[in-house]
Amino acid sequence: MNDHLSNQLPRERLRKVFEFLKAYSELRYPPVRDINHQLRVLRLNDLPQHSAVEVFRDSDANGIESGDADMILRITRPDITACPSPPALIAEWLKPGWQEITNPVEILDWRGSSDNAALFGRYLLEITTGIPVSLSAPSVHTLYQAKLNLKRALVVGVSQSGEGEDINRVMENARECGAFTIGITNEPASSMVGLVDETLLMHGGHERSVAATKTFTGQMILFYMLSAALVKDGRTIDFEVVPDFAARALEQKPAILELVQRYVFMENCVVVGRGLAYANAYEFALKLMETCYVVAERFSSADFLHGPVAMIERHFPVILFAPPGVMLNGTKDLIGRLSELRADTLAITGDIEAAAMCTRSIIMPREIDEFLAPIPYIIPAQLFAALLAEAKGLDPDAPRSLSKVTRTL
């Protein structure tokens, strides 16, 4: 008898687990019904009584003639309910906080500078909100035509023009897959605005240059705002001081104009950044490639030591973002190794010691901390690329073989 009961308990516990998981799944992923064409106001003369239904007469309801007023039932969507309580048999297995229904945030990377802004957004959102963030692969949607489970997910599309065919098709697919969609763009009349649930506009004015600059920093500031809206118990960032820091960064132009003369004949270089500055490395390298025709590789300081450092030789140019914060010591270690290899190092930094270790440096205000650094630190890099292009006899606003809107799938 005891053996029979001991065999029954695990079986009963397993049954309870499956029942609980089924209930939890039905709550988290409720059936999706198309209500676009259903009436939101129903006229019912003989509505049965029920405690959950409130009935009233409304002869002044919009769209109803006073002579035709009937019983009115107004329908609204219910708020999400609480998670079902687990059976006592399995409650001891659950970790604290199991009942919180959290939504992953998927940032859709587009192309070029918008891709780099999305990379920054990923770091910022994960650090400040604790929400997992994934960079999307557009071809999964556009060419492989996969249908992802995006119920209760937030998908953010990032596009300067809002006209990229690939990103717009992805946003359409994401909505069909159950996601709530947000578009970040600079063009209020773009196609993207009509495809997403909500739009975050940069209000940067029309960008005439092919190489995105103000729209890149505009996308970054919108990620700060999105982070502030989503954060609960994480870190809040006083991003309202960023415009002042950006203005001070622009004051570096005379020094950078003199500096670029030393790099007029540069054909190859490496750009390094890590953490919140990782996206800056990608963006600066892109600007050097598209405006100066320099072959610019970009790496995190950690990845660079896992192989790419082997290509460094005497006078090879390496440009490093070295803002204060948790990544600074690692960046200094890399600068030390590059000095041993006789590389030509240029640091954008507010740390005097890091600047002294490099061949050359662009000194930033020391009070700009790690979380506020990405925008003010990319501005000297944008100036460097524009002024270097001019020093090379090129037009940085109209690079060869490029157009403002690139259409790909």
Side-chain angles (χ1 to χ4, degrees):
M1 183 68 175
N2 289 336
D3 289 342
H4 176 68
L5 289 175
S6 64
N7 289 334
Q8 255 191 340
L9 184 59
R11 212 175 282 136
E12 175 66 10
R13 177 173 282 200
L14 190 60
R15 185 181 67 81
K16 291 287 188 181
V17 167
F18 278 102
E19 287 180 353
F20 173 70
L21 291 178
K22 180 182 178 183
Y24 184 76
S25 177
E26 289 176 351
L27 172 75
R28 185 162 185 174
Y29 304 115
V32 177
R33 298 182 178 89
D34 186 0
I35 64 168
N36 290 334
H37 303 293
Q38 294 184 15
L39 292 175
R40 295 182 182 177
V41 177
L42 304 180
R43 303 179 182 181
L44 303 173
N45 285 318
D46 300 314
L47 189 68
Q49 292 186 352
H50 191 279
S51 59
V53 177
E54 181 180 356
V55 181
F56 61 94
R57 292 184 178 275
D58 186 0
S59 58
D60 298 322
N62 290 336
I64 301 177
E65 297 295 334
S66 57
D68 297 331
D70 294 321
M71 306 295 283
I72 303 299
L73 170 65
R74 296 193 187 277
I75 302 174
T76 58
R77 298 185 186 185
D79 294 331
I80 189 167
T81 56
C83 294
S85 299
L89 283 170
I90 66 170
E92 63 192 65
W93 292 354
L94 300 176
K95 293 182 179 180
W98 63 269
Q99 71 275 20
E100 294 295 328
I101 299 181
T102 57
N103 303 331
V105 176
E106 178 178 342
I107 297 180
L108 171 64
D109 55 327
W110 188 45
R111 307 295 184 207
S113 294
S114 295
D115 189 358
N116 301 332
L119 179 59
F120 162 73
R122 176 186 184 180
Y123 275 86
L124 181 69
L125 289 170
E126 287 195 334
I127 293 170
T128 58
T129 70
I131 300 173
V133 178
S134 170
L135 291 177
S136 175
S139 62
V140 169
H141 301 260
T142 60
L143 299 179
Y144 291 101
Q145 299 182 2
K147 296 297 181 182
L148 306 183
N149 183 358
L150 297 176
K151 296 174 182 177
R152 299 191 58 77
L154 172 63
V155 176
V156 183
V158 189
S159 171
Q160 180 276 138
S161 66
E163 297 297 342
E165 186 176 354
D166 50 358
I167 190 172
N168 286 341
R169 283 182 57 176
V170 173
M171 299 310 287
E172 287 182 291
N173 191 45
R175 288 188 74 180
E176 291 174 2
C177 293
F180 184 86
T181 55
I182 293 177
I184 293 179
T185 184
N186 190 49
E187 299 296 337
S190 64
S191 300
M192 172 184 274
V193 173
L195 296 173
V196 296
D197 294 298
E198 294 291 344
T199 305
L200 301 180
L201 290 174
M202 281 173 271
H203 299 287
H206 182 64
E207 187 169 59
R208 294 185 296 273
S209 172
V210 170
T213 49
K214 65 181 179 182
T215 50
F216 174 70
T217 53
Q219 289 163 352
M220 295 173 83
I221 203 71
L222 285 173
F223 275 120
Y224 278 115
M225 295 179 180
L226 184 59
S227 167
L230 293 174
V231 71
K232 291 183 179 178
D233 300 322
R235 171 173 180 150
T236 57
I237 300 172
D238 183 18
F239 58 84
E240 293 184 2
V241 301
V242 168
D244 291 336
F245 288 145
R248 292 172 66 180
L250 287 169
E251 296 172 0
Q252 298 274 11
K253 183 177 179 179
I256 296 172
L257 179 60
E258 181 180 347
L259 179 64
V260 298
Q261 306 306 318
R262 298 176 178 270
Y263 293 90
V264 169
F265 299 105
M266 180 174 68
E267 296 180 349
N268 304 276
C269 73
V270 164
V271 186
V272 176
R274 193 178 181 192
L276 288 163
Y278 190 36
N280 281 21
Y282 269 71
E283 177 63 11
F284 191 12
L286 176 62
K287 288 295 170 281
L288 289 172
M289 287 187 281
E290 64 184 354
T291 65
C292 304
Y293 314 146
V294 171
V295 179
E297 292 285 351
R298 59 272 207 198
F299 297 97
S300 80
S301 55
D303 287 338
F304 190 67
L305 292 171
H306 285 266
V309 70
M311 68 179 170
I312 299 301
E313 55 189 9
R314 185 181 178 89
H315 299 316
F316 190 96
V318 181
I319 305 172
L320 307 100
F321 288 94
V326 296
M327 300 299 175
L328 182 58
N329 288 337
T331 304
K332 286 182 179 180
D333 291 341
L334 175 57
I335 294 172
R337 178 64 179 136
L338 292 170
S339 297
E340 294 173 1
L341 297 172
R342 306 284 184 91
D344 183 305
T345 51
L346 168 62
I348 301 176
T349 183
D351 184 82
I352 301 301
E353 183 180 355
M357 295 171 66
C358 291
T359 312
R360 300 173 186 86
S361 58
I362 298 173
I363 305 296
M364 302 296 291
R366 297 181 65 179
E367 62 267 29
I368 302 178
D369 69 27
E370 179 179 16
F371 286 87
L372 297 172
I375 291 178
Y377 272 56
I378 197 59
I379 289 173
Q382 292 173 335
L383 288 171
F384 185 99
L387 295 173
L388 179 60
E390 292 177 350
K392 285 176 172 283
L394 305 171
D395 182 356
D397 293 328
R400 66 191 182 199
S401 306
L402 296 178
S403 60
K404 189 59 181 172
V405 179
T406 304
R407 301 187 184 279
T408 58
L409 285 180

